[in-house]
Amino acid sequence: MEAHPSFFMTDILDEVFEWFDSSIYSRAFNADFRTSEGERLQALVRAATVCKSFNVAATHVLWRSLNSLYPILNLLPSFRKIGGTSNDLDFPVYEEYHAPDEVSDDEWARMLWYTTHVRFLGIWIAPSAGRERIAPSVWACLRRFSERQCIFPHLFSLRFVVELSDPTAMLCLLSPTTEMITISCDKTTASHPNAENKEQWAACLELLVQEFCHRNPRLTDVSFELGDLSPSSIVPHLEPLRNLIEVTIGSRSESVDLAHAHALADMPKLESLILPALSGTPGRGLTDPSTSFRNFQTLRLKRCSAAAQTFASASLRELDLDNYTYESEDLLRESCTTWAHAFPGLRQLNIYVDFPPAHDVEPRHALASVLAPLFALRGLERVEIGYSTFVPFLVRDDDVAALSAAWPALTDLSVYELCLGPDFPSCSVGVLGLLAVARSCPRLERLRLTRIVYRAEDVAGLPEEPVGHGLSFLNVYYGMTEEALRVVEGKLFPCLVSKPSIDTLEETNQRNGN
């Protein structure tokens, strides 16, 4: 019996099986990732056994993304597996592979048939990760073979946990096609390291970066999660990678020198820069945004400082400033003025304002008054303003009305306080504030507020005809009662897909007349 002609239309089969790609499947079928991942893999394995045409298309997707080196090692019969306990996630915990001195060409050929499909590879080999243990004999064997032939000839992205005992193990997996590398340092030696470990890690990280520059000069995306290690052994040596588009440096307790941060931002193709704290005295004032960092799209600083105000870019679209330390209303307003001038093309702004423990408590200031300089950024589409409990802000109807009037293109607005409970009501927006948002921001899809205050007299100020705004997601932590939600849905936002939970304490207080 001849196969149906459609089985020979490889372009159509490839298109069908693309729906089983890991980056598409769970979203397309609106499924929980852990459940859907098992179903996805089972469907691909079964499809691969149907016929040769299905086998080729399914195998290509099945092996495209791997979160372990184990499937590759399982292809080599001469590799021995020792141990074998598992945790509740069905991941091997203490399984360890050992390799022989020699592996036959047939075994390598079988492995290569599968590894040619791999484009995304994640390997968490550190014992602290609780998953994989790969013996030195395996890495030695893979190194020897990689000197003859590339193990993953089409590898695009590699994620790897580096161990201090063998930091260069990952190099045998790299391919000339690799453009994205994510490195995490083993927590057992990178968290709270002693002086000896710091010195050893500095030498290892510098060596890795130099190898990347030599082996993969076309890298476009590098990411380092350093624990408590200093970025100083990495950042100065990234300059030869002139094709970098995204750079991410994560360190919990160390900072990046400001001069090195500027050197990164000046790289010809860089669009995204994510850094921890910046250190050093600013050597230059704010420059002309039209001539500074022309390709910049995203700037994220995990611990914001005054040094951040030396950046300027007319092309920047996303600014994320975490842990901005509040010192005074005037200084924060001055910073807002600087950001508005430095980044006139912003589309997304995320700021979290923290309060220093030893700071004197001030009278509260209207949020709109403090952020007023940012109202010049009329093109903002997504805004998130967060602050800790003791930051002296007030958020009332007038404030959200001013924010929404200043930024009519908003699709996402979030104003929240990381508060200790409803007894800290810095945010008390009523239905009139929500009405102002609905009228000023027709494209708004998501709204997040700390607290709603429902006042019966405010309901009289709502129009008789429902506004009918298309808001889909409303998130309110405190104050939402059943009556308030009925009014909000009936008069303002009838299309809510995600609704705020009812505040049972507020509901009880209203019923008791408190």
Side-chain angles (χ1 to χ4, degrees), residues 431-511:
V431 293
L432 295 182
L434 298 180
L435 174 63
V437 172
R439 285 176 167 171
S440 299
C441 302
R443 296 170 52 199
L444 194 69
E445 298 174 0
R446 298 174 180 266
L447 178 61
R448 176 187 180 192
L449 298 169
T450 304
R451 184 168 177 256
I452 287 288
V453 175
Y454 180 73
R455 296 174 286 262
E457 60 270 22
D458 290 347
V459 178
L462 297 177
E464 292 185 8
E465 292 293 326
V467 176
H469 191 280
L471 188 78
S472 298
F473 300 89
L474 177 61
N475 191 352
V476 178
Y477 294 117
Y478 301 106
M480 183 62 75
T481 63
E482 292 183 0
E483 183 180 357
L485 184 57
R486 281 196 298 270
V487 171
V488 169
E489 280 195 282
K491 290 286 189 177
L492 301 174
F493 308 123
C495 303
L496 289 178
V497 175
S498 177
K499 304 175 186 179
S501 301
I502 300 300
D503 186 337
T504 54
L505 178 61
E506 184 71 19
E507 187 83 20
T508 302
N509 289 338
Q510 287 199 9
R511 288 174 182 172

Side-chain angles (χ1 to χ4, degrees), residues 128-144:
S128 60
R131 288 182 62 179
E132 300 183 15
R133 277 183 160 180
I134 300 175
S137 62
V138 173
W139 291 115
C141 189
L142 293 175
R143 281 192 181 100
R144 289 195 299 271

